[in-house]
Amino acid sequence: MTLHRRQLFLPLVLLFLLGSALWWRPARQPAERSRILMGTVVEIEVLDPETAQTRSAIDAAFAEMARIEALMTPHRPDSDVSRLSSSAPFTTPAPETQTVIAAGAEIARQSAGAFDLGLGRLIQLWGFVDGTPQRPTDADIAAALVGVGPGDVVVSNGQVKKSRPDLQLDLGAIAKGYAVDRAVDVLQKAGIRHATVNAGGDIRLLGDHDGRPWRIGIQHPRQPQAVSATLLLSDVAVVTSGDYERAFDIDGIRYHHLLDPRSGLPARRCQAVTVVAKTAMQADALATAAFVLGPVDGLALLERLPDVEGLIVAADGKTLLTSGLAERVQWP
Ligand code: ADP
Ligand code: MG
Protein backbone atom coordinates (compact mmCIF):
# COMPACT_ATOMS: atom_id res chain seq x y z
CA MET A 1 0.00 0.00 0.00
CA THR A 2 1.29 3.48 -0.84
CA LEU A 3 0.54 6.62 1.16
CA HIS A 4 -0.19 9.89 -0.65
CA ARG A 5 1.47 13.04 0.63
CA ARG A 6 -1.93 14.42 1.69
CA GLN A 7 -2.64 11.36 3.79
CA LEU A 8 0.65 11.82 5.65
CA PHE A 9 0.11 15.52 6.32
CA LEU A 10 -2.48 15.27 9.12
CA PRO A 11 -0.66 12.63 11.21
CA LEU A 12 2.57 14.63 10.91
CA VAL A 13 0.87 17.82 12.09
CA LEU A 14 -0.69 15.95 15.03
CA LEU A 15 2.65 14.43 15.92
CA PHE A 16 4.27 17.88 15.81
CA LEU A 17 1.56 19.40 18.07
CA LEU A 18 1.85 16.54 20.54
CA GLY A 19 5.64 16.86 20.59
CA SER A 20 5.57 20.59 21.23
CA ALA A 21 2.92 20.19 23.94
CA LEU A 22 5.24 17.82 25.78
CA TRP A 23 8.21 20.08 25.15
CA TRP A 24 6.48 23.14 26.58
CA ARG A 25 5.40 21.46 29.80
CA PRO A 26 6.84 23.66 32.57
CA ALA A 27 10.03 22.10 33.88
CA ARG A 28 9.31 22.92 37.52
CA GLN A 29 5.88 21.75 38.42
CA PRO A 30 5.94 21.13 42.17
CA ALA A 31 4.68 17.71 43.15
CA GLU A 32 2.07 18.23 45.88
CA ARG A 33 0.39 15.48 47.84
CA SER A 34 -1.74 15.51 50.96
CA ARG A 35 -3.02 12.89 53.37
CA ILE A 36 -4.90 12.85 56.64
CA LEU A 37 -2.50 11.71 59.35
CA MET A 38 -2.31 12.40 63.09
CA GLY A 39 -5.72 14.06 63.01
CA THR A 40 -4.67 16.72 60.52
CA VAL A 41 -4.02 17.33 56.83
CA VAL A 42 -0.37 16.65 56.00
CA GLU A 43 0.93 18.27 52.81
CA ILE A 44 4.20 17.42 51.10
CA GLU A 45 5.40 19.71 48.33
CA VAL A 46 8.52 18.82 46.34
CA LEU A 47 10.12 21.37 44.02
CA ASP A 48 12.65 19.01 42.42
CA PRO A 49 11.55 17.79 38.96
CA GLU A 50 8.87 15.13 39.36
CA THR A 51 10.10 11.63 38.54
CA ALA A 52 9.06 8.14 39.52
CA GLN A 53 11.69 8.44 42.24
CA THR A 54 10.25 11.65 43.76
CA ARG A 55 6.78 10.12 43.67
CA SER A 56 7.89 7.03 45.55
CA ALA A 57 9.89 9.19 48.01
CA ILE A 58 6.72 11.13 48.86
CA ASP A 59 4.82 7.86 49.39
CA ALA A 60 7.66 6.61 51.63
CA ALA A 61 7.61 9.88 53.63
CA PHE A 62 3.86 9.51 54.28
CA ALA A 63 4.38 5.85 55.24
CA GLU A 64 7.09 6.87 57.71
CA MET A 65 4.74 9.42 59.31
CA ALA A 66 2.02 6.77 59.60
CA ARG A 67 4.53 4.47 61.31
CA ILE A 68 5.40 7.18 63.87
CA GLU A 69 1.70 7.90 64.42
CA ALA A 70 1.06 4.22 65.17
CA LEU A 71 3.75 4.30 67.88
CA MET A 72 2.67 7.55 69.55
CA THR A 73 -1.11 7.84 69.18
CA PRO A 74 -3.25 7.51 72.30
CA HIS A 75 -6.06 6.14 70.08
CA ARG A 76 -4.64 2.63 69.61
CA PRO A 77 -4.38 0.29 72.60
CA ASP A 78 -1.18 -1.26 71.20
CA SER A 79 0.71 2.03 70.68
CA ASP A 80 3.79 2.75 72.80
CA VAL A 81 1.97 5.69 74.39
CA SER A 82 -1.04 3.56 75.40
CA ARG A 83 1.22 0.82 76.76
CA LEU A 84 3.33 3.34 78.71
CA SER A 85 0.13 4.93 80.07
CA SER A 86 -1.29 1.70 81.44
CA SER A 87 -0.45 0.72 85.01
CA ALA A 88 1.04 -2.57 83.83
CA PRO A 89 4.84 -2.31 83.83
CA PHE A 90 6.16 -1.44 80.36
CA THR A 91 9.32 0.63 80.12
CA THR A 92 11.01 -0.14 76.81
CA PRO A 93 9.20 1.46 73.88
CA ALA A 94 10.64 1.75 70.34
CA PRO A 95 13.84 3.82 70.02
CA GLU A 96 11.84 6.53 68.20
CA THR A 97 9.45 6.85 71.15
CA GLN A 98 12.41 7.03 73.54
CA THR A 99 13.94 9.81 71.42
CA VAL A 100 10.72 11.84 71.57
CA ILE A 101 10.20 11.30 75.31
CA ALA A 102 13.83 12.22 76.08
CA ALA A 103 13.51 15.43 73.99
CA GLY A 104 10.18 16.24 75.66
CA ALA A 105 11.64 15.69 79.13
CA GLU A 106 14.45 18.11 78.25
CA ILE A 107 11.96 20.79 77.19
CA ALA A 108 9.94 20.12 80.35
CA ARG A 109 13.12 20.87 82.29
CA GLN A 110 14.00 23.98 80.24
CA SER A 111 10.48 25.37 80.67
CA ALA A 112 10.37 24.63 84.41
CA GLY A 113 7.40 22.32 83.94
CA ALA A 114 5.25 24.46 81.61
CA PHE A 115 5.68 21.61 79.14
CA ASP A 116 4.75 18.25 80.64
CA LEU A 117 4.63 14.76 79.12
CA GLY A 118 2.40 13.37 81.87
CA LEU A 119 -0.85 15.18 80.99
CA GLY A 120 -2.63 12.18 79.43
CA ARG A 121 -5.32 11.96 82.10
CA LEU A 122 -5.96 15.73 82.12
CA ILE A 123 -6.24 15.94 78.32
CA GLN A 124 -8.60 12.96 78.32
CA LEU A 125 -10.69 14.71 80.97
CA TRP A 126 -11.09 17.88 78.90
CA GLY A 127 -12.23 15.74 75.96
CA PHE A 128 -9.91 17.36 73.42
CA VAL A 129 -8.61 14.01 72.21
CA ASP A 130 -11.96 12.32 71.72
CA GLY A 131 -15.47 12.84 72.91
CA THR A 132 -17.10 16.20 73.51
CA PRO A 133 -14.89 18.91 75.00
CA GLN A 134 -16.21 20.03 78.40
CA ARG A 135 -15.13 22.03 81.46
CA PRO A 136 -14.27 19.38 84.09
CA THR A 137 -14.97 19.92 87.79
CA ASP A 138 -12.13 21.29 89.95
CA ALA A 139 -12.04 18.01 91.87
CA ASP A 140 -11.60 16.02 88.65
CA ILE A 141 -8.83 18.38 87.51
CA ALA A 142 -7.02 18.01 90.84
CA ALA A 143 -7.26 14.22 90.59
CA ALA A 144 -5.90 14.26 87.02
CA LEU A 145 -2.87 16.31 88.16
CA VAL A 146 -1.72 13.87 90.85
CA GLY A 147 1.86 12.87 90.02
CA VAL A 148 2.17 15.57 87.32
CA GLY A 149 5.14 17.93 87.63
CA PRO A 150 8.80 18.39 86.71
CA GLY A 151 10.53 15.03 86.27
CA ASP A 152 7.28 13.04 86.08
CA VAL A 153 8.42 11.24 82.90
CA VAL A 154 12.11 10.56 82.22
CA VAL A 155 14.21 8.24 80.08
CA SER A 156 17.26 6.71 81.69
CA ASN A 157 19.35 3.79 80.43
CA GLY A 158 16.85 3.20 77.62
CA GLN A 159 13.94 2.90 80.05
CA VAL A 160 10.97 5.20 80.49
CA LYS A 161 10.24 5.95 84.14
CA LYS A 162 7.01 7.53 85.45
CA SER A 163 6.40 9.26 88.78
CA ARG A 164 3.47 6.90 89.47
CA PRO A 165 2.21 3.71 87.78
CA ASP A 166 -1.12 5.39 86.94
CA LEU A 167 0.43 8.47 85.29
CA GLN A 168 -0.72 8.74 81.66
CA LEU A 169 1.45 10.09 78.86
CA ASP A 170 0.49 12.46 76.06
CA LEU A 171 2.90 13.27 73.24
CA GLY A 172 0.39 15.47 71.37
CA ALA A 173 2.61 18.55 71.59
CA ILE A 174 5.77 16.94 70.20
CA ALA A 175 5.06 13.75 68.19
CA LYS A 176 3.69 15.55 65.13
CA GLY A 177 6.87 17.60 64.88
CA TYR A 178 8.98 14.45 65.12
CA ALA A 179 6.92 12.79 62.37
CA VAL A 180 7.56 15.83 60.14
CA ASP A 181 11.30 15.49 60.78
CA ARG A 182 11.18 11.79 59.87
CA ALA A 183 9.34 12.61 56.62
CA VAL A 184 11.97 15.20 55.69
CA ASP A 185 14.70 12.67 56.44
CA VAL A 186 13.12 10.19 54.03
CA LEU A 187 12.83 12.84 51.27
CA GLN A 188 16.42 13.96 51.82
CA LYS A 189 17.79 10.41 51.70
CA ALA A 190 15.97 9.94 48.37
CA GLY A 191 18.01 12.85 46.99
CA ILE A 192 15.29 15.53 47.19
CA ARG A 193 16.75 18.95 47.92
CA HIS A 194 13.84 21.40 47.92
CA ALA A 195 10.62 20.51 49.70
CA THR A 196 8.19 21.39 52.47
CA VAL A 197 6.31 19.12 54.84
CA ASN A 198 3.35 20.74 56.61
CA ALA A 199 1.34 18.83 59.22
CA GLY A 200 -1.41 21.29 60.11
CA GLY A 201 0.99 24.13 60.99
CA ASP A 202 4.02 22.01 61.91
CA ILE A 203 6.24 22.89 58.96
CA ARG A 204 9.76 21.90 57.98
CA LEU A 205 11.51 23.43 55.00
CA LEU A 206 14.10 21.43 53.08
CA GLY A 207 16.48 23.71 51.18
CA ASP A 208 15.27 26.98 49.72
CA HIS A 209 12.69 28.01 47.12
CA ASP A 210 14.41 28.56 43.77
CA GLY A 211 17.43 30.28 45.33
CA ARG A 212 15.31 32.41 47.65
CA PRO A 213 13.86 31.81 51.11
CA TRP A 214 10.43 30.26 51.42
CA ARG A 215 7.70 32.72 52.42
CA ILE A 216 5.75 31.32 55.36
CA GLY A 217 2.54 33.16 56.26
CA ILE A 218 1.67 32.99 59.96
CA GLN A 219 -2.08 32.81 60.47
CA HIS A 220 -3.61 35.69 62.40
CA PRO A 221 -4.99 34.20 65.63
CA ARG A 222 -8.17 36.27 65.52
CA GLN A 223 -8.74 36.70 61.75
CA PRO A 224 -8.74 33.26 60.10
CA GLN A 225 -8.31 34.69 56.58
CA ALA A 226 -5.42 37.04 57.47
CA VAL A 227 -1.73 36.60 58.22
CA SER A 228 -0.16 38.33 61.20
CA ALA A 229 3.35 38.16 59.65
CA THR A 230 5.32 36.51 56.85
CA LEU A 231 8.61 34.77 57.68
CA LEU A 232 11.40 34.37 55.10
CA LEU A 233 13.14 31.09 55.94
CA SER A 234 15.17 28.21 54.49
CA ASP A 235 16.21 24.82 55.85
CA VAL A 236 14.49 25.16 59.24
CA ALA A 237 11.31 24.11 61.00
CA VAL A 238 8.56 26.60 61.81
CA VAL A 239 5.70 25.55 64.09
CA THR A 240 2.72 27.47 65.45
CA SER A 241 0.55 26.68 68.47
CA GLY A 242 -2.60 28.72 68.84
CA ASP A 243 -5.63 28.92 71.11
CA TYR A 244 -7.89 28.95 68.02
CA GLU A 245 -7.00 25.46 66.79
CA ARG A 246 -9.10 23.33 69.07
CA ALA A 247 -11.35 25.42 71.29
CA PHE A 248 -14.88 25.75 72.61
CA ASP A 249 -16.79 28.51 74.42
CA ILE A 250 -18.97 28.25 77.53
CA ASP A 251 -20.69 31.42 78.82
CA GLY A 252 -18.34 33.58 76.77
CA ILE A 253 -15.17 31.93 78.14
CA ARG A 254 -12.87 30.28 75.63
CA TYR A 255 -11.39 26.93 76.55
CA HIS A 256 -8.63 25.49 74.40
CA HIS A 257 -6.22 22.56 74.28
CA LEU A 258 -2.97 24.17 75.54
CA LEU A 259 -3.10 23.44 79.23
CA ASP A 260 -1.10 24.87 82.11
CA PRO A 261 0.11 21.85 84.14
CA ARG A 262 0.09 23.91 87.33
CA SER A 263 -3.63 24.77 87.20
CA GLY A 264 -4.94 22.13 84.80
CA LEU A 265 -6.71 24.98 82.95
CA PRO A 266 -6.08 26.45 79.47
CA ALA A 267 -3.09 28.82 79.50
CA ARG A 268 -4.35 32.38 79.16
CA ARG A 269 -1.37 34.62 78.44
CA CYS A 270 -0.99 34.08 74.66
CA GLN A 271 -3.09 33.86 71.51
CA ALA A 272 -0.39 32.14 69.44
CA VAL A 273 3.30 31.23 69.49
CA THR A 274 5.43 30.48 66.41
CA VAL A 275 8.83 28.86 66.92
CA VAL A 276 11.65 28.55 64.37
CA ALA A 277 14.22 25.83 65.15
CA LYS A 278 16.38 23.25 63.42
CA THR A 279 13.94 20.39 64.00
CA ALA A 280 10.16 20.37 63.93
CA MET A 281 10.20 18.24 67.09
CA GLN A 282 11.96 20.98 69.08
CA ALA A 283 9.89 23.76 67.50
CA ASP A 284 6.63 21.89 68.19
CA ALA A 285 7.36 21.31 71.88
CA LEU A 286 8.80 24.80 72.41
CA ALA A 287 5.73 26.44 70.83
CA THR A 288 3.55 24.72 73.41
CA ALA A 289 6.02 25.46 76.23
CA ALA A 290 6.33 29.17 75.39
CA PHE A 291 2.55 29.46 74.97
CA VAL A 292 2.01 28.13 78.50
CA LEU A 293 4.83 30.29 79.95
CA GLY A 294 3.33 33.45 78.43
CA PRO A 295 4.95 36.31 76.49
CA VAL A 296 7.56 37.35 79.05
CA ASP A 297 8.95 34.00 80.21
CA GLY A 298 8.18 32.38 76.86
CA LEU A 299 10.17 34.96 74.92
CA ALA A 300 13.03 34.67 77.43
CA LEU A 301 13.12 30.88 76.91
CA LEU A 302 13.20 31.17 73.10
CA GLU A 303 15.85 33.91 73.30
CA ARG A 304 18.03 31.82 75.62
CA LEU A 305 18.17 28.67 73.45
CA PRO A 306 20.71 28.51 70.60
CA ASP A 307 19.33 28.26 67.01
CA VAL A 308 15.83 29.03 68.24
CA GLU A 309 13.72 32.06 67.29
CA GLY A 310 10.10 32.91 67.83
CA LEU A 311 7.13 35.20 67.40
CA ILE A 312 4.56 35.50 70.18
CA VAL A 313 1.11 37.06 69.96
CA ALA A 314 0.21 37.93 73.55
CA ALA A 315 -3.32 37.78 74.96
CA ASP A 316 -3.73 41.54 74.34
CA GLY A 317 -2.83 41.09 70.64
CA LYS A 318 0.65 42.59 70.92
CA THR A 319 3.36 40.82 68.90
CA LEU A 320 6.82 40.06 70.31
CA LEU A 321 9.83 38.79 68.37
CA THR A 322 13.14 37.24 69.36
CA SER A 323 16.10 39.35 68.28
CA GLY A 324 17.29 37.01 65.51
CA LEU A 325 13.95 37.04 63.69
CA ALA A 326 13.70 40.77 63.05
CA GLU A 327 15.53 40.63 59.72
CA ARG A 328 13.47 37.68 58.50
CA VAL A 329 9.97 39.00 59.12
CA GLN A 330 7.66 40.99 56.86
CA TRP A 331 4.57 42.60 58.28
CA PRO A 332 1.37 42.46 56.20
P1 ADP B 1 -1.63 21.09 67.76
O1 ADP B 1 -0.63 21.38 66.70
O2 ADP B 1 -2.36 19.80 67.60
O3 ADP B 1 -2.50 22.23 68.11
P2 ADP B 1 0.25 21.54 69.88
O4 ADP B 1 1.63 21.24 69.49
O5 ADP B 1 -0.14 22.96 69.97
O6 ADP B 1 -0.76 20.72 69.01
O7 ADP B 1 0.02 20.81 71.26
C1 ADP B 1 -1.26 20.66 71.81
C2 ADP B 1 -1.42 19.29 72.38
O8 ADP B 1 -0.38 19.03 73.32
C3 ADP B 1 -2.71 19.12 73.15
O9 ADP B 1 -3.75 18.66 72.34
C4 ADP B 1 -2.31 18.11 74.21
O10 ADP B 1 -2.38 16.82 73.65
C5 ADP B 1 -0.88 18.45 74.51
N1 ADP B 1 -0.65 19.44 75.57
C6 ADP B 1 -1.47 20.42 76.02
N2 ADP B 1 -0.90 21.16 76.99
C7 ADP B 1 0.36 20.65 77.13
C8 ADP B 1 1.48 20.98 77.98
N3 ADP B 1 1.42 21.99 78.86
N4 ADP B 1 2.60 20.22 77.87
C9 ADP B 1 2.68 19.20 76.99
N5 ADP B 1 1.66 18.83 76.19
C10 ADP B 1 0.52 19.55 76.24
MG1 MG C 1 3.42 21.97 70.08
Side-chain angles (χ1 to χ4, degrees), residues 114 116 119 123 170 172-173 176 241 245-246 257-259 284 288:
D116 197 306
L119 296 182
I123 288 156
D170 183 284
K176 218 194 308 167
S241 277
E245 286 169 49
R246 267 180 282 164
H257 70 312
L258 300 163
L259 302 168
D284 192 7
T288 305

Side-chain angles (χ1 to χ4, degrees), residues 84-98:
L84 287 165
S85 292
S86 83
S87 293
F90 172 71
T91 57
T92 48
E96 293 87 343
T97 311
Q98 289 184 36

Side-chain angles (χ1 to χ4, degrees), residues 276-326:
V276 178
K278 284 191 170 168
T279 67
M281 174 170 74
Q282 192 192 18
D284 192 7
L286 282 175
T288 305
F291 189 104
V292 173
L293 284 170
V296 177
D297 294 342
L299 195 73
L301 171 66
L302 302 181
E303 204 64 272
R304 189 163 73 232
L305 296 171
D307 299 318
V308 171
E309 303 293 341
L311 181 155
I312 297 180
V313 183
D316 61 5
K318 286 210 181 77
T319 301
L320 298 95
L321 274 186
T322 55
S323 47
L325 210 55

